[in-house]
Amino acid sequence: SQQGEEDPQALSIQEGENATMNCSYKTSINNLQWYRQNSGRGLVHLILIRSNEREKHSGRLRVTLDTSKKSSSLLITASRAADTASYFCATDSGNDMRFGAGTRLTVKP
Amino acid sequence: GAVVSQHPSRVICKSGTSVKIECRSLDFQATTMFWYRQFPKQSLMLMATSNEGSKATYEQGVEKDKFLINHASLTLSTLTVTSAHPEDSSFYICSAKGPRPNIQYFGAGTRLSVL
């Protein structure tokens, strides 16, 4: 079963703008990860944030984690058309990984 | 590194036939692999966890006899959809736990269409 909910379900922005996606989950986690999926393809790991971390950066990506609210956000700065994809959060409880519903991001050139 | 190959990428079959999907870790050994199913514009639903040398662990609601999983080696897991029906049409994705802890490496997926 799915673990989390993501919002928005779909996001459309112009190239150069920032994109923020949110993820909420229900159970305790060891870490939370964000993955990217291009249409009809597998998932690619983007970034992992551990349960004792609050913020993490990787290039144009910034992830926050609030374990008290059981929520995370992914910020993509200075978006590019190539960032168009679906983005999923995944919670790792140590036993398995559960994926959120995903946000479909469209970056218009 | 840490490449997972999934084959075939697309398969069309007649109702009642069986389809086998392969998931291989190319440059690492994977004691644990996962099989997911994804409906259009939806998230990944975990079907089963495949452990090398032992029986797969299926998620609630997934028919073991329908979706046969074999993880006979450290680099290969297979999913066989037996007696496929149109409702089995979906996108199936495998993943493997790889060299970096806690991170799963995904195959490119298999789109199954049952006529």
Side-chain angles (χ1 to χ4, degrees):
Chain A
S1 60
Q2 289 179 214
Q3 159 73 298
E5 298 293 328
E6 292 182 60
D7 73 272
Q9 290 187 341
L11 178 62
S12 182
I13 59 174
Q14 292 294 135
E15 207 165 26
E17 294 179 341
N18 295 341
T20 299
M21 291 160 266
N22 302 296
C23 168
S24 61
Y25 57 94
K26 299 174 183 176
T27 63
S28 297
I29 62 172
N30 289 348
N31 64 74
L32 184 144
Q33 303 175 37
W34 285 88
Y35 287 80
R36 168 195 167 123
Q37 182 183 33
N38 287 347
S39 180
R41 304 290 293 174
L43 277 70
V44 176
H45 178 263
L46 294 177
I47 193 166
L48 178 153
I49 186 166
R50 302 186 193 287
S51 60
N52 61 354
E53 295 176 313
R54 292 296 166 258
E55 187 172 312
K56 204 161 183 180
H57 298 254
S58 177
R60 293 186 294 114
L61 306 179
R62 173 179 167 247
V63 170
T64 64
L65 178 64
D66 187 336
T67 52
S68 65
K69 296 181 179 178
K70 289 186 167 56
S71 67
S72 174
S73 68
L74 171 67
L75 168 67
I76 303 175
T77 60
S79 64
R80 306 166 181 167
D83 294 330
T84 295
S86 291
Y87 292 84
F88 295 91
C89 68
T91 52
D92 186 349
S93 64
N95 295 320
D96 54 32
M97 189 177 296
R98 304 284 171 166
F99 287 82
T103 294
R104 295 177 63 219
L105 173 65
T106 302
V107 182
K108 300 175 183 177
Chain B
V3 176
V4 173
S5 173
Q6 188 172 340
H7 179 80
S9 59
R10 178 89 191 244
V11 58
I12 301 173
C13 69
K14 293 181 179 180
S15 186
T17 61
S18 294
V19 175
K20 180 185 284 188
I21 303 170
E22 292 187 349
C23 183
R24 294 181 184 272
S25 57
L26 297 186
D27 49 3
F28 66 97
Q29 293 184 336
T31 55
T32 302
M33 290 185 173
F34 303 91
W35 287 96
Y36 296 87
R37 182 173 180 173
Q38 186 179 31
F39 291 102
K41 300 182 181 179
Q42 294 189 27
S43 186
L44 281 71
M45 303 299 293
L46 179 64
M47 298 175 64
T49 301
S50 170
N51 297 295
E52 187 270 335
S54 64
K55 292 183 179 180
T57 303
Y58 289 83
E59 293 298 299
Q60 191 173 8
V62 177
E63 298 177 60
K64 300 178 183 181
D65 296 332
K66 175 75 172 176
F67 300 100
L68 300 178
I69 292 173
N70 187 320
H71 195 157
S73 78
L74 286 170
T75 59
L76 174 64
S77 176
T78 61
L79 168 68
T80 301
V81 183
T82 62
S83 187
H85 288 98
E87 58 265 30
D88 299 324
S89 298
S90 191
F91 192 58
Y92 294 87
I93 308 176
C94 71
S95 71
K97 283 192 173 182
R100 289 179 64 192
N102 303 313
I103 294 177
Q104 291 188 24
Y105 297 85
F106 284 82
T110 297
R111 184 160 302 283
L112 171 63
S113 300
V114 184
L115 306 178

